[in-house]
Amino acid sequence: GGIQLVMSYTLTSVSPYAEGKRRMAHCCVMKDSNIILLGGYMESESGQFQFLAPFWQENAPVYHSRMELYQYNTTTDKWRLLETGGCTDSPHFSGGCAAVVGDALYTLCGFNDDRTNSVYKLDFQTMEWDYVQTDPHSELPSKRDKFCAWVFEKRIFVFGGFGPPDKMKADFVCMDEYSGWNNSVHVFDTETNKWSELITQGRRPCPRAAHAGTTYRNKGYVFGGRLQDRRMNDLHCLDLEMGTWSGQIDAVGVQPQGRSWHSLSMASSDFLFLYGGLNTEYEILGDGWVFNIPTCEWIRVIADPPCVPTRMWHTSCSSGDGKVYVFGGSSTSVFAHEETSFHGKHMLIFQCCVSSLSRLCIDFVVHHPDLLRISSRIYLLY
């Protein structure tokens, strides 16, 4: 088998915001040392919900507004609410993507009463939302959700997803006459507000949805996802400069099982971190894997539950210092309508590699303020 490693993880204290704002199918992005959380949905007040139930039904899910942002400071481990203004059209948002480009936050596509391909922009200076009028000559993506996105040089790349069979140059697999899975790559240029469909080179992944992706420098990685009854465990990489697919990356070591609604993050310059998801048997996973990019090796680093909480349709962010932050999601399947849904309300923090000395010092000061005050008084006595 593969090399077995031990990875540490911690649960943060429950914030007053997280208690009332449990969610899945949401977005989180990293800006400076802060994680920004928005959108998604949760079960009804009764504690039960029916997936895709219309909003007027008793057990319909409760959708969260993109107008309310929650900020988690990775240095102080503190939450705060960020209130926004501006455009209030179609405020509810789930299953889409969010991306930080410069001093703005963009939300793209997703589900809002129905699937959409709309773009909204939040200016961090004014904290005002605007609806983005896209260039009329754009090659718009189909209305979709459950896709992944990468950011490179002020452009946002959207790959795959689930939605209607609109005209596109990529492949499409129908579920019915109204919707299906695709493998298109569409690019939104934030400087021109123009969409274009990227004609890629190389062997592209098959159509899929509910996959996970992450960006490192000029590379966009994607793992797994669902196509019809299959939940896949393949890893691919798109060169975002050249528009060339790697084809399926031949990995060594024990392979993670196929899954959807999982997360994938850059743990460091050499390692991807894969966590959780839903497998083909509709089981919620809590396993963790590291992919060593230079050696193309998968290494299992977290054993099965109950050691680590199970999560699906959660989000993750990496801070660049070896930590991966996971929030939200559910530990019960959205397909198990008879069960009460349990949404994670703790922030899971996975330590994927040794932190720098400066980061260790900051963590010590933040978590031991009393010792700092005592040492300060001793210093003043001398």
Side-chain angles (χ1 to χ4, degrees), residues 60-374:
V62 177
Y63 286 85
H64 293 301
S65 172
R66 61 175 164 79
M67 306 299 290
E68 292 183 344
L69 274 60
Y70 294 87
Q71 178 179 284
Y72 176 80
N73 188 300
T74 61
T75 301
T76 63
D77 293 334
K78 301 295 184 183
W79 288 92
R80 62 185 286 239
L81 172 65
L82 302 178
E83 295 183 352
T84 66
C87 177
T88 59
D89 295 345
S90 304
H92 303 113
F93 172 73
S94 73
C97 82
V100 173
V101 180
D103 213 23
L105 170 67
Y106 292 83
T107 64
L108 303 94
C109 303
F111 191 91
N112 181 3
D113 298 328
D114 198 359
R115 293 181 181 90
T116 179
N117 56 7
S118 298
V119 179
Y120 291 87
K121 175 184 177 181
L122 174 71
D123 186 321
F124 280 119
Q125 295 295 324
T126 63
M127 297 303 288
E128 298 281 318
W129 284 99
D130 282 315
Y131 172 75
V132 177
Q133 295 284 351
T134 56
D135 187 295
H137 303 294
S138 288
E139 296 177 299
L140 290 172
S142 59
K143 297 178 180 181
R144 65 184 68 189
D145 60 358
K146 307 181 190 73
F147 55 95
C148 77
W150 308 295
V151 179
F152 178 66
E153 291 185 344
K154 298 184 180 180
R155 293 176 294 162
I156 305 170
F157 294 70
V158 168
F159 168 68
F162 190 82
D166 289 357
K167 292 181 180 179
M168 61 181 75
K169 304 179 180 70
D171 303 325
F172 188 88
V173 176
C174 292
M175 184 181 77
D176 51 40
E177 60 180 308
Y178 304 107
S179 55
W181 298 265
N182 73 78
N183 65 352
S184 74
V185 178
H186 280 77
V187 184
F188 180 73
D189 189 319
T190 62
E191 294 189 315
T192 63
N193 292 339
K194 185 174 183 179
W195 281 104
S196 59
E197 183 170 0
L198 181 65
I199 306 304
T200 59
Q201 305 298 317
R203 186 176 179 181
R204 59 193 175 201
C206 65
R208 64 193 64 208
H211 45 286
T214 190
T215 311
Y216 180 64
R217 294 181 180 171
N218 66 331
K219 299 291 195 298
Y221 290 90
V222 59
F223 178 86
R226 177 188 173 189
L227 174 61
Q228 297 175 317
D229 293 329
R230 297 165 50 204
R231 285 179 168 82
M232 296 166 284
N233 70 340
D234 51 343
L235 178 67
H236 300 259
C237 176
L238 177 65
D239 186 313
L240 302 175
E241 275 187 307
M242 305 303 294
T244 303
W245 282 107
S246 63
Q248 182 172 342
I249 297 174
D250 293 325
V252 298
V254 177
Q255 308 289 306
Q257 62 178 300
R259 64 192 68 201
S260 59
W261 282 327
H262 48 287
S263 61
L264 186 72
S265 303
M266 285 300 309
S268 70
S269 59
D270 289 336
F271 297 108
L272 304 176
F273 178 61
L274 170 70
Y275 169 67
L278 181 75
N279 68 11
T280 304
E281 288 72 39
Y282 299 100
E283 297 170 329
I284 313 299
L285 304 173
D287 56 341
W289 298 76
V290 162
F291 182 75
N292 187 319
I293 296 173
T295 65
C296 291
E297 180 182 14
W298 280 110
I299 305 168
R300 187 170 188 157
V301 292
I302 299 177
D304 290 325
C307 299
V308 178
T310 57
R311 295 283 177 92
M312 60 160 280
W313 220 350
H314 51 281
T315 54
S316 67
C317 280
S318 56
S319 60
D321 60 358
K323 289 185 178 180
V324 175
Y325 299 80
V326 171
F327 185 79
S330 177
S331 61
T332 53
S333 172
V334 295
F335 300 104
H337 303 320
E338 73 282 357
E339 294 186 22
T340 299
S341 175
F342 176 77
H343 293 303
K345 53 190 178 182
H346 295 275
M347 179 77 79
L348 290 172
I349 305 176
F350 295 95
Q351 184 69 54
C352 300
C353 58
V354 178
S355 295
S356 66
L357 180 58
S358 61
R359 177 67 201 206
L360 291 172
C361 292
I362 291 171
D363 288 344
F364 183 86
V365 169
V366 168
H367 294 104
H368 300 88
D370 293 338
L371 291 178
L372 182 63
R373 283 193 290 269
I374 292 170

